[in-house]
Amino acid sequence: MTRVFSGVKPTGHLTLGNYLGAIRQWAEVDQYRAESLFCVVDLHALTMEHDPARVRRLSRQAATLLLASGLDPEQCVVFVQSQVDEHARLSYLMECTASDGEMRRMIQYKEKAAQARERGDGVRLSLLTYPALMAADILAYGTDEVPVGEDQTQHVELARDLAVRFNQRYGQTFVVPRAIRPPVAARVMDLQDPSGKMGKSQASGAGIVYLLDDADVVRKKVMRAVTDGGSDVVYERERSPGVANLLEIFAACTGKEPGELAEQYSGYGALKRDVAEAVVELLRPVRARHAELAADPGYVQGVLRAGAERARGLARPTVDAAYAAIGLLEP
């Protein structure tokens, strides 16, 4: 069976963009069509200045939301990265396989390093090397497919390059993965800045719908969404990015086409009201299930413990084989 791996980083509260762009696909499709592993990649949250208590809190929240969104521990493996030592073990071998130039060409490193310098912060070495850890995350499980957004495709390409290079130098060890762009996934843009994606790490949450926002907050954010000059509701991303974003969110919530939806409206107000209600209804069961799971933390902890054990069993043979191939003594 095809093996799928993907994860979420606990650097902020999960958003509507995370749900429509990835998590819903995992829950509705991937966990049933493939042997799937979904991970809270908490080690990646350490590459920037952070509050340890917040990382722990957001890691638990992210795991709970994955389950609330429909990931079934009987169908897939849900776990936390740091609880499976094989990720860190393999990461160093990937650093020994990668080059300095490859790391420095990573777009996210360039952007985040520049942002850190602007704030007067130091740039952590882990920010440079974390694509090697991401490659380890993928390669440890013999992953065939990695569902990713456009901004993460470069990292999967690096994992492919490192797998091929390692296999050529030391013998066949890793499956060479491929990035996939799920056809039903949506790229949700910030409601206040439709030129940028709805990311969970932004300082201001005015344009971000979080999965745990209550209904009134969701309505307020959508009603305040930036639109465009004029009043025509048209689906043209270049000409009207704000309206196009609302139509794409509406389409993702309802299963209809953005252009078809645009024809039903003559003004922004009615469109915003209907988009807001569609988002509220989409997230209602997720929020309700999250509340149930949050009230039973022992259940979530048990799922994560069992998931880590299953993940460890899947990863260890590959990582042990890589240690032997590269020339390290058996323990």
Side-chain angles (χ1 to χ4, degrees):
M1 182 179 288
T2 299
R3 185 169 289 173
V4 168
F5 175 92
S6 198
V8 294
K9 186 162 58 174
T11 51
H13 301 286
L14 295 183
T15 73
L16 178 66
N18 297 128
Y19 183 75
L20 291 178
I23 298 171
R24 184 172 66 169
Q25 168 80 12
W26 302 347
E28 294 181 356
V29 179
D30 291 334
Q31 68 174 335
Y32 299 108
R33 72 172 181 86
E35 185 177 19
S36 300
L37 299 99
F38 301 111
C39 180
V40 178
V41 287
D42 53 343
L43 294 175
H44 293 296
L46 310 185
T47 60
M48 305 290 285
E49 189 67 31
H50 65 277
D51 172 16
R54 185 171 187 267
V55 170
R56 282 191 291 271
R57 183 172 67 253
L58 290 176
S59 295
R60 285 192 293 267
Q61 184 186 92
T64 305
L65 277 168
L66 291 181
L67 298 174
S69 298
L71 292 187
D72 182 352
E74 298 299 319
Q75 294 288 340
C76 63
V77 184
V78 182
F79 67 105
V80 175
Q81 177 191 33
S82 64
Q83 296 178 349
V84 179
D85 293 344
E86 278 65 28
H87 291 256
R89 288 180 61 206
L90 186 55
S91 178
Y92 183 69
L93 300 196
M94 293 299 98
E95 290 182 17
C96 293
T97 307
S99 71
D100 173 76
E102 286 174 315
M103 297 293 101
R104 294 187 184 280
R105 283 196 296 272
M106 293 289 111
I107 295 172
Q108 290 203 0
Y109 168 72
K110 293 178 180 179
E111 293 177 347
K112 291 184 178 181
Q115 292 167 3
R117 293 187 184 102
E118 286 176 5
R119 295 192 302 267
D121 297 336
V123 179
R124 298 187 179 190
L125 180 61
S126 57
L127 183 62
L128 177 66
T129 61
Y130 94 89
L133 174 58
M134 186 177 290
D137 297 338
I138 297 166
L139 299 181
Y141 296 101
T143 301
D144 298 295
E145 297 180 354
V146 188
V148 291
E150 185 178 353
D151 59 332
Q152 293 293 335
T153 302
Q154 187 184 35
H155 291 104
V156 182
E157 290 302 314
L158 176 67
R160 288 175 55 84
D161 291 343
L162 296 183
V164 170
R165 188 178 306 154
F166 192 101
N167 291 344
Q168 290 174 342
R169 288 178 178 175
Y170 308 115
Q172 187 64 36
T173 306
F174 297 117
V175 173
V176 180
R178 60 186 178 274
I180 60 168
R181 297 287 302 279
V184 300
R187 189 175 189 214
V188 181
M189 313 305 281
D190 190 292
L191 295 175
Q192 293 297 315
D193 178 15
S195 66
K197 72 173 185 176
M198 188 181 285
K200 58 184 177 294
S201 301
Q202 273 96 324
S204 170
I208 305 170
V209 174
Y210 297 106
L211 296 188
L212 295 181
D213 280 344
D214 65 36
D216 287 342
V217 171
V218 172
R219 293 186 183 102
K220 185 178 296 185
K221 288 180 177 179
V222 175
M223 293 305 295
R224 293 178 176 175
V226 169
T227 48
D228 312 289
S231 59
D232 294 337
V233 178
V234 293
Y235 180 56
E236 296 180 15
R237 165 120 344 241
E238 294 299 320
R239 173 185 161 195
S240 304
V243 174
N245 187 39
L246 290 171
L247 289 168
E248 288 173 359
I249 292 171
F250 201 7
C253 291
T254 61
K256 299 180 180 179
E257 291 297 321
E260 174 189 344
L261 291 167
E263 295 174 357
Q264 301 175 19
Y265 296 91
S266 58
Y268 297 155
L271 171 65
K272 287 183 176 182
R273 284 192 293 272
D274 287 353
V275 173
E277 292 308 315
V279 173
V280 166
E281 291 307 311
L282 179 76
L283 299 184
R284 191 184 303 280
V286 177
R287 292 179 60 241
R289 180 58 177 154
H290 176 271
E292 294 174 0
L293 292 170
D296 187 8
Y299 170 76
V300 176
Q301 184 176 354
V303 168
L304 295 178
R305 186 182 300 115
E309 188 64 30
R310 289 172 65 190
R312 198 175 298 118
L314 291 170
R316 183 168 293 165
T318 297
V319 177
D320 285 349
Y323 268 58
I326 207 170
L328 301 177
L329 295 174
E330 296 181 3

